[in-house]
Amino acid sequence: MAGGALSVSEPICLGMQRVYDREPKSFLPSRPVRRGTVAKALLVLIPAVAIVAGMGYFAIQLATEKPEQEDSLELSGAELERNLERTRVAVQAYFDEGNFEAADTILSSALRQLPNNQDLLKLNAELRMWQNRPEEAYLEMQKAYKVGPDHPELRYAAANYANEAGLTEDAIAEARKAIVMSERPDTRFYRFLGAMQFKAGRVADARGTLLIVLQQNDAQPQVYGMLAEMDLAEGATEKGVEFARRARELDPDQFAYRVTEARLLRRLGRLEDALAVLTGIDEYTRLTNAAVLRDVILTLQALGQHDRAADFAERAAEASGTSAEIVMMTADAMDAAGRLEAAVEYAQRARMLGHPNGEARVEHLRIKLAASSS
């Protein structure tokens, strides 16, 4: 499918929406730092930055731009240790302002003096995530727990960073470690481990992990949703439908569970039930979310209602505006309904919007239209 769209069989819980838990990005102090103008921020930053930059001129310079001479930022490790909290406040303020370069300057200088300070290493991991450098974030978090003290939450954070970096096996290993280290493992650890096992294709292992979660607490919509996805991955059974229905009962606002249930029902041949479940999703989402729209169209077509599918797709093309994917989906629905002239028009529009298969699709539909007219 073009444009990164989900196929009919792609897990919606791990694709369209991540419904398993993920560690919040922030490891910063819980003390709030009010967002505001740079001028207001300076009231916090100048004394805090002075801890790293040295009192006076370089403190003000660091609060506005990265100094040319980083050596001027060096202080003794003991002084940095004493003032670590104020350093964290400075980094927090720069995070709030989106000034990651300044935050990087502070942390780089501080880490040169205190390379084994766990708080600084955690902050540095956080910064790398904000900079969209998850592999580096994972490496920094590994350093953090290796210098000690190690902790299950650090391992859980490392697992999340590894996942963001595409290192699924590392994520599994870190999540397992978090569980082993815990006297009473948090259900988040099991949920995450199950999600990663599922992502790695270890469906049986993932199912076993998630059932442990339900033994601890059965009010877990994410867990039921993933169990439903596993059933879908292996075919479809009524048990999978039960899992999906239970998930949406627990979290009715999460439309991903409805899509999973509809897919299971469609595979079981229960087309009217599948359409009813999809209709329970608000109309705006059905019209503007490509994955949901595709399932609506496929279900209507499976029912033999090609004109209704084309009409609904046309409404979606108008509602979505500039979505090349949805416009091309409309061209396909028009083609299936035998409306070839409209199909060509929508394919041309999708091509103009940059659809990667636009040119080929337009040519194919033009040939098909010409053949039908001869």
Side-chain angles (χ1 to χ4, degrees):
M1 298 267 177
L6 292 175
S7 67
V8 176
S9 61
E10 183 175 349
I12 197 161
C13 290
L14 299 180
M16 184 174 69
Q17 296 195 3
R18 295 178 185 174
V19 298
Y20 59 85
D21 278 356
R22 111 170 237 244
E23 179 73 11
K25 283 186 174 181
S26 183
F27 288 94
L28 298 171
S30 58
R31 180 188 304 173
V33 178
R34 296 180 59 187
R35 297 176 182 269
T37 63
V38 174
K40 290 181 180 179
L42 289 176
L43 296 176
V44 176
L45 295 179
I46 289 176
V49 173
I51 303 305
V52 181
M55 297 295 180
Y57 169 77
F58 287 110
I60 299 174
Q61 184 182 36
L62 182 56
T64 56
E65 61 181 356
K66 189 174 180 179
E68 294 181 2
Q69 297 295 327
E70 289 193 353
D71 289 344
S72 64
L73 305 178
E74 303 290 354
L75 290 182
S76 70
E79 188 171 1
L80 280 172
E81 193 77 66
R82 286 195 301 270
N83 295 284
L84 188 58
E85 175 62 20
R86 296 179 72 186
T87 301
R88 287 202 299 263
V89 170
V91 173
Q92 171 76 72
Y94 275 134
F95 273 17
D96 287 347
E97 292 295 326
N99 191 343
F100 303 131
E101 183 179 6
D104 200 352
T105 298
I106 295 175
L107 283 172
S108 295
S109 177
L111 281 167
R112 281 197 297 271
Q113 296 296 309
L114 298 171
N116 295 321
N117 183 279
Q118 190 177 76
D119 288 332
L120 291 176
L121 289 168
K122 288 189 292 184
L123 280 171
N124 208 29
E126 165 71 0
L127 176 61
R128 301 306 165 214
M129 282 302 300
W130 277 107
Q131 294 174 323
N132 196 28
R133 293 151 66 180
E135 289 189 27
E136 294 178 28
Y138 177 44
L139 291 174
E140 291 301 304
M141 190 55 67
Q142 283 182 306
K143 292 179 186 177
Y145 67 64
K146 285 177 181 178
V147 300
D150 203 349
H151 191 277
E153 290 291 342
L154 293 181
R155 295 295 184 141
Y156 180 53
N160 276 270
Y161 289 160
N163 178 43
E164 292 291 333
L167 304 171
T168 305
E169 293 300 327
D170 291 276
I172 289 173
E174 297 289 4
R176 286 188 184 280
K177 186 65 175 179
I179 291 170
V180 170
M181 291 177 65
S182 303
E183 183 176 344
R184 298 180 62 184
D186 195 300
T187 55
R188 290 173 302 146
F189 303 166
Y190 283 111
R191 282 200 302 264
F192 184 85
L193 176 59
M196 292 299 98
Q197 290 170 325
F198 185 26
K199 183 178 179 181
R202 303 177 193 170
V203 178
D205 290 343
R207 185 180 289 110
T209 298
L210 296 177
L211 289 174
I212 292 174
V213 178
L214 294 181
Q215 291 172 4
Q216 297 178 356
N217 178 3
D218 65 355
Q220 300 279 340
Q222 304 99 325
V223 173
Y224 285 111
M226 283 189 283
L227 288 169
E229 281 294 334
M230 292 172 197
D231 191 76
L232 183 63
E234 294 184 325
T237 67
E238 291 294 339
K239 188 64 176 178
V241 175
E242 292 177 18
F243 285 142
R245 184 173 296 123
R246 179 60 175 153
R248 67 179 174 88
E249 287 173 353
L250 290 168
D251 187 2
D253 294 332
Q254 177 54 266
F255 64 83
Y257 302 139
R258 284 186 173 272
V259 176
T260 301
E261 184 178 352
R263 290 176 177 178
L264 287 161
L265 290 167
R266 193 167 63 239
R267 285 196 183 172
L268 292 170
R270 296 168 57 184
L271 300 178
E272 292 287 356
D273 291 338
L275 185 60
V277 169
L278 289 171
T279 303
I281 300 172
D282 67 278
E283 185 173 74
Y284 178 79
T285 299
R286 282 183 284 138
L287 290 171
T288 60
N289 185 289
V292 177
L293 174 63
R294 179 174 290 105
D295 273 274
V296 172
I297 292 173
L298 287 173
T299 304
L300 287 169
Q301 290 173 338
L303 284 164
Q305 300 179 23
H306 293 283
D307 283 330
R308 187 179 171 190
D311 290 342
F312 193 79
E314 189 168 33
R315 289 178 57 201
E318 299 309 312
S320 63
T322 59
S323 170
E325 182 181 2
I326 287 179
V327 173
M328 185 59 81
M329 213 180 297
T330 304
D332 293 340
M334 292 294 177
D335 181 19
R339 305 180 193 177
L340 292 177
E341 290 186 2
V344 171
E345 291 177 5
Y346 278 107
Q348 289 173 327
R349 180 174 159 188
R351 179 183 61 184
M352 291 176 60
L353 291 170
H355 195 283
N357 297 328
E359 190 66 42
R361 193 73 179 116
V362 168
E363 184 63 23
H364 171 77
L365 288 170
R366 280 177 174 168
I367 294 172
K368 190 173 181 178
L369 177 61
S372 69
S373 303
S374 60

